Amino acid sequence: MDVRTALAAREYAALRPATEPDPAQAGAGASLRAATEDFAATLRKGEEAAMASMTGDADPHALVMALAQSELAVQTVVSVRDKVVEAYQEILRMPV
């Protein structure tokens, strides 16, 4: 067996984890997942505040703040969706 081949194989095995994708830094997929989770949490907090105000457990100021945050989150998601649809339509219009 050639010593250089064994050395190359050992070096390759040592460096291989450096070339594999890091799940903690998955890029757009991870940031999209985090944004979706934040959106769901914001809506959930608004629903909880609305339920608490119906039973008289929350003050009206907290309800208004939670509903305003929910409205802003929905408007943001709708505008992002519109931009994605616009980009998709632009791609469809491109000549092949």
Side-chain angles (χ1 to χ4, degrees), residues 5-92:
T5 306
L7 179 64
R10 186 174 52 226
E11 291 294 321
Y12 175 75
L15 293 175
R16 185 168 183 179
T19 61
E20 292 177 353
D22 185 11
Q25 298 178 351
S31 63
L32 183 62
R33 180 178 298 119
T36 305
E37 289 171 356
D38 288 345
F39 174 70
T42 301
L43 290 183
R44 197 174 313 111
K45 189 169 36 168
E47 289 177 359
E48 290 170 359
M51 294 279 214
S53 70
M54 285 182 207
T55 60
D57 295 338
D59 70 64
H61 188 299
L63 174 64
V64 170
M65 289 297 292
L67 291 178
Q69 288 175 346
S70 296
E71 182 181 5
L72 182 63
V74 169
Q75 287 175 351
T76 303
V77 168
V78 167
S79 69
V80 168
R81 183 212 53 192
D82 291 345
K83 289 291 184 181
V84 168
V85 169
E86 218 176 280
Y88 178 73
Q89 289 173 344
E90 186 66 29
I91 289 171
L92 288 179

